[in-house]
Amino acid sequence: MSRQTGPELDPAYDDLHTGVALYDPDTGAVLDANDRLESIFGFTTDELRERRVATYTANTHAFSAAEFLARLRASAAGDPQEFVWRVKRADGELVWVRLYLSRRASGGRQDFVRAEVRDITQSYHTERREELFWRLLRHNLRNGANVLTGHGERIAAHAETERIRESAAVVRDTAVDLGRMAESVTEIEQAMRTDGERRRCVAAAIDDVADDLRAEHPAASVEITERERMWTDVDDSFVHAVSHALENAIVHGDGPRAAVRVTVGPSPNTGRVQIRIEDDNPPIPESELGALDDRAETTATSHGTGVGLFVMKWCIESLGGELEIETGTRRGNAVCIYLPPREPSNDAG
C-alpha cells in the first residue's frame, strides 16, 4: 500500500484478508488501497489511481462502470451499497467480487467512500453449478420418472406372463420412488433458499402438519404432548422436515394402525426446542443412518437410500438446528429435532 497526500488507510489494513480501497466519489479514482485489494485486482495502488473504473470492469458482465460510479455516489450521499461486481484483473483474468461501499469523513476535506472487497469467485461458481444441479435433478428426474411409470403400467396391462407383469411392477415402483426423490430434491432446494419465516407455537405448527397426514392415513394415530410451550421460526423447511419424520413413522410400521408420539419441550442440556418423534417400528437400518454422517464415505456398496432422512437433515440445518436419530435394539425409533427457541410474537399461533 503506497501513500499520497489525502485520505490514507492505516498500515494495519495491510494485515486484513479483505480488500479495502478509498474512492473519490466524484471521479471514481482510487485514493488508497491495502495489499489485499492489490492482490484481488492485480494492480498496484499507484496503477489504480491512474485508471478509470471502466478499465478494470469486465465488459462481459451486465454491471457497468457507470453503475459502479452511480453506486459510489449514492454511498457518498449516505446510502450504503452492497453488490456483486466482475473485475478484470491486470493479467486479464476475470474474478467475481462482493463490494460494500460506505461514506467516510475526511476531517474537513471532501468526504470519500470506503470500499470493502471480498473475492467470491469460487463460491459464485459453486453457486452457479448448484443452480444447474438443482434444475437438472428437478426437471429431468421428474420427467424420466413419469416416462418410466407410464411405460411400466402399459407393459403390465398387456403382459402375457406373470414374470413380465412382475418386472413391469418393479419398473413402475422404481419410477415412483424416483418421482418421490425428485420431490425431495425440490424440498432440499427450498431448504437452501427458503424465506418467509413465521414465528409459531411449535406444537400447533406440528399439529397442522399432522392434520394433512391424518387425512392420508386415517387409521394412524399422531399424539402431540407439550412438556412446555415453545416457539420457533417456521417455514417450508420446518414443514418438510416434520412431515417426513411423521410420514416415515407411519408408513414403516407393521400394520395400518401406526402410533406416533410427539413430545415438544426444552432440551435439558441447551434449552433449545426439542421435538421428539417416537414410533414402535423396526429400527432404521444402520446403512441409512451412516449415510447421514457428513464425514462418512459413500460407496457403491454402502450408501443410504432414504432420501427423506437427507431432507430432514438439510431442512433442519437450514433453520440453524440439528437432527439426531435414536434406534432401539429390537424395535422403536426416536427422531429428535433441535431448533433455536424464539420469544413469541404478537401474531404467533
Side-chain angles (χ1 to χ4, degrees):
M1 179 172 64
S2 60
R3 300 279 176 250
Q4 70 165 23
T5 302
E8 295 181 352
L9 288 168
D10 188 286
Y13 278 91
D14 284 333
D15 296 329
L16 297 179
H17 293 287
T18 299
V20 179
L22 305 181
Y23 275 93
D24 183 325
D26 293 328
T27 65
V30 171
L31 303 173
D32 202 6
N34 69 347
D35 289 350
R36 178 55 181 155
L37 186 123
E38 290 181 350
S39 68
I40 293 174
F41 283 19
F43 293 98
T44 67
T45 300
D46 286 337
E47 289 172 330
L48 287 169
R49 289 189 183 115
E50 302 300 323
R51 279 170 168 75
R52 294 179 296 107
V53 174
T55 62
Y56 53 93
T57 297
N59 55 15
T60 56
H61 183 38
F63 193 93
S64 66
E67 289 175 278
F68 178 90
L69 292 172
R71 287 188 179 255
L72 197 66
R73 288 158 189 162
S75 63
D79 182 14
Q81 301 287 306
E82 184 175 7
F83 56 97
V84 172
W85 182 32
R86 201 170 196 190
V87 172
K88 182 168 59 179
R89 287 169 42 87
D91 60 5
E93 180 186 2
L94 302 182
V95 296
W96 293 98
V97 298
R98 181 176 295 279
L99 279 84
Y100 181 79
L101 304 179
S102 57
R103 181 178 63 185
R104 289 293 182 269
S106 184
R109 289 171 289 185
Q110 184 179 11
D111 288 353
F112 58 93
V113 172
R114 186 178 72 186
E116 300 170 42
V117 184
R118 293 183 181 274
D119 185 343
I120 61 167
T121 303
Q122 184 173 356
S123 60
Y124 187 87
H125 288 163
T126 299
E127 182 179 342
R128 298 294 293 271
R129 287 193 295 268
E130 175 194 302
E131 290 175 357
L132 177 61
F133 168 78
W134 293 124
R135 189 160 61 247
L136 288 172
L137 278 180
R138 184 175 60 245
H139 182 265
N140 294 17
L141 190 58
R142 164 58 67 188
N143 286 354
N146 288 340
V147 170
L148 288 174
T149 301
H151 281 279
E153 292 174 348
R154 189 180 307 169
I155 293 171
H158 296 87
E160 297 179 356
T161 67
E162 183 62 27
R163 188 170 182 177
I164 294 177
R165 282 191 289 272
E166 290 175 355
S167 294
V170 170
V171 171
R172 183 189 61 238
D173 293 345
T174 302
V176 170
D177 288 342
L178 287 174
R180 289 173 179 159
M181 187 181 298
E183 293 173 2
S184 296
V185 165
T186 300
E187 291 169 356
I188 292 173
E189 182 187 19
Q190 290 173 349
M192 298 179 69
R193 307 178 187 280
T194 190
D195 52 17
E197 294 178 345
R198 178 191 169 198
R199 192 154 300 175
R200 294 202 60 194
C201 168
V202 176
I206 295 172
D207 196 45
D208 286 346
V209 177
D211 278 343
D212 292 335
L213 292 173
R214 291 182 184 113
E216 297 176 23
H217 308 277
S221 168
V222 179
E223 179 183 339
I224 302 172
T225 301
E226 278 186 301
R227 291 190 289 109
E228 184 177 321
R229 181 147 292 191
M230 306 287 290
W231 283 263
T232 195
D233 292 330
V234 172
D235 61 9
D236 287 343
S237 295
F238 177 95
V239 173
H240 293 325
V242 172
S243 179
H244 276 283
L246 294 177
E247 189 169 27
N248 285 347
I250 291 172
V251 302
H252 290 121
D254 294 332
R257 297 187 176 278
V260 184
R261 301 173 300 280
V262 183
T263 307
V264 178
S267 166
N269 296 324
T270 64
R272 292 182 296 176
V273 175
Q274 182 188 56
I275 304 169
R276 186 177 178 89
I277 301 173
E278 298 178 282
D279 62 52
D280 297 315
N281 301 339
I284 300 171
E286 284 294 331
S287 60
E288 303 292 338
L289 298 177
L292 292 178
D293 186 350
D294 292 333
R295 295 165 295 181
E297 182 179 357
T298 301
T299 67
T301 57
S302 176
H303 62 279
T305 57
V307 179
L309 296 181
F310 284 101
V311 173
M312 281 190 278
K313 177 181 173 67
W314 285 43
C315 287
I316 292 304
E317 290 182 356
S318 77
L319 293 168
E322 189 176 11
L323 176 69
E324 183 179 62
I325 299 178
E326 304 170 5
T327 60
T329 304
R330 294 179 178 272
R331 300 190 71 83
N333 302 286
V335 173
C336 295
I337 295 172
Y338 300 93
L339 294 170
R342 304 298 187 204
E343 291 296 324
S345 59
N346 293 333
D347 61 344

